[in-house]
Amino acid sequence: MSEFKQNMRALRPLWTGLPIVAVCTGLSLTAAWQYLRYATPLYESTAKIKLADVNEGVLNTTLLKNLDAFSGDNRTSAEVELVRSPLLLGRALDRLSFDLSAYRVGKVQTTEMYRASPFTAEMKVANPKGTEQPFDLRIDAAGTVQVTAPSGEVARGQVGQVLRLSGAELRIGRNDSLLKARPDLSLADHYRLVQHDRARLIEDIASRLDVT
């Protein structure tokens, strides 16, 4: 019996500190959940491209093989530069919706929507100074659209109408296919639009593109 009491006395500090350990564990899990909830997700895409075989076709001749311009290393370098070229990147951007970024503005976090946007946007910025600048967009339940330019100029209208600002035009429509697929998604909210300059966009993508 005395041995049991001694063991319990030895374990008493553990039982005393157990609530503190439980509280610290709970706070750590809550902090981790909040971080994962509001952290901006990062994605990495990897693609493989098969280059032309130097041993096939017209290049498979002794004369051309002896020319340094047609060596394998130079051909590979040329293909790498082609993949990174503004022309090829521009053609890729023509098939993507990267020129105009749409964000949902929340109380804690502003999230880019990309293809999850409940509205469609067509924007033309005539003044180059208007690119890379945030345009504030608010849509209410009645379908009223209010756009505020970076200069503070305000334009109001309805969904589907063309809104004209100094040096910019904007038309907001309903993304009916997405709204039907997701009835819980609301169109009325606070948003932000950024029209990107194509040259800057290509330069930014090229700087992030790792071709090896």
Side-chain angles (χ1 to χ4, degrees):
M1 188 68 178
S2 59
E3 183 178 355
F4 176 75
K5 290 182 178 180
Q6 291 178 358
N7 292 336
M8 292 300 297
R9 190 178 297 110
L11 293 175
R12 184 174 298 174
L14 177 62
W15 292 107
T16 304
L18 187 60
I20 299 177
V21 174
V23 171
C24 292
T25 302
L27 291 176
S28 300
L29 293 176
T30 302
W33 179 78
Q34 290 291 341
Y35 172 79
L36 294 176
R37 180 182 179 185
Y38 294 109
T40 302
L42 300 178
Y43 302 94
E44 179 179 343
S45 177
T46 303
K48 294 183 179 180
I49 302 176
K50 182 180 179 181
L51 303 180
D53 192 347
V54 296
N55 295 322
E56 296 178 356
V58 69
L59 294 179
N60 188 21
T61 63
T62 304
L63 176 61
L64 294 182
K65 285 182 179 179
N66 293 332
L67 296 177
D68 183 67
F70 291 93
S71 64
D73 293 340
N74 285 346
R75 283 179 54 82
T76 302
S77 300
E79 295 289 351
V80 169
E81 291 303 320
L82 178 61
V83 172
R84 297 170 59 93
S85 66
L87 177 61
L88 194 61
L89 293 178
R91 290 183 177 179
L93 289 175
D94 290 338
R95 300 190 176 188
L96 300 172
S97 303
F98 284 175
D99 292 293
L100 181 63
S101 295
Y103 303 86
R104 186 185 296 273
V105 180
K107 295 181 179 179
V108 179
Q109 184 185 29
T110 298
T111 307
E112 185 174 6
M113 297 181 294
Y114 191 47
R115 297 190 184 277
S117 174
F119 61 87
T120 60
E122 300 175 8
M123 191 172 187
K124 296 180 181 179
V125 179
N127 188 354
K129 294 182 179 180
T131 59
E132 308 299 337
Q133 299 294 326
F135 285 75
D136 189 82
L137 172 65
R138 295 177 184 270
I139 305 176
D140 63 16
T144 302
V145 180
Q146 175 179 303
V147 181
T148 305
S151 61
E153 182 182 1
V154 179
R156 294 181 178 87
Q158 294 293 320
V159 173
Q161 294 180 346
V162 177
L163 306 180
R164 291 179 172 83
L165 298 163
S166 298
E169 290 185 358
L170 176 65
R171 180 181 179 276
I172 300 297
R174 289 174 52 90
N175 190 350
D176 291 323
S177 59
L178 181 62
L179 292 173
K180 290 180 180 179
R182 295 185 54 185
D184 60 310
L185 193 62
S186 175
L187 177 62
D189 210 332
H190 183 196
Y191 305 97
R192 182 177 299 158
L193 299 176
V194 178
Q195 178 70 40
H196 300 291
D197 179 72
R198 175 58 73 92
R200 292 184 183 180
L201 187 59
I202 291 177
E203 183 179 354
D204 180 63
I205 294 176
S207 65
R208 300 169 184 265
L209 189 62
D210 183 18
V211 183
T212 56

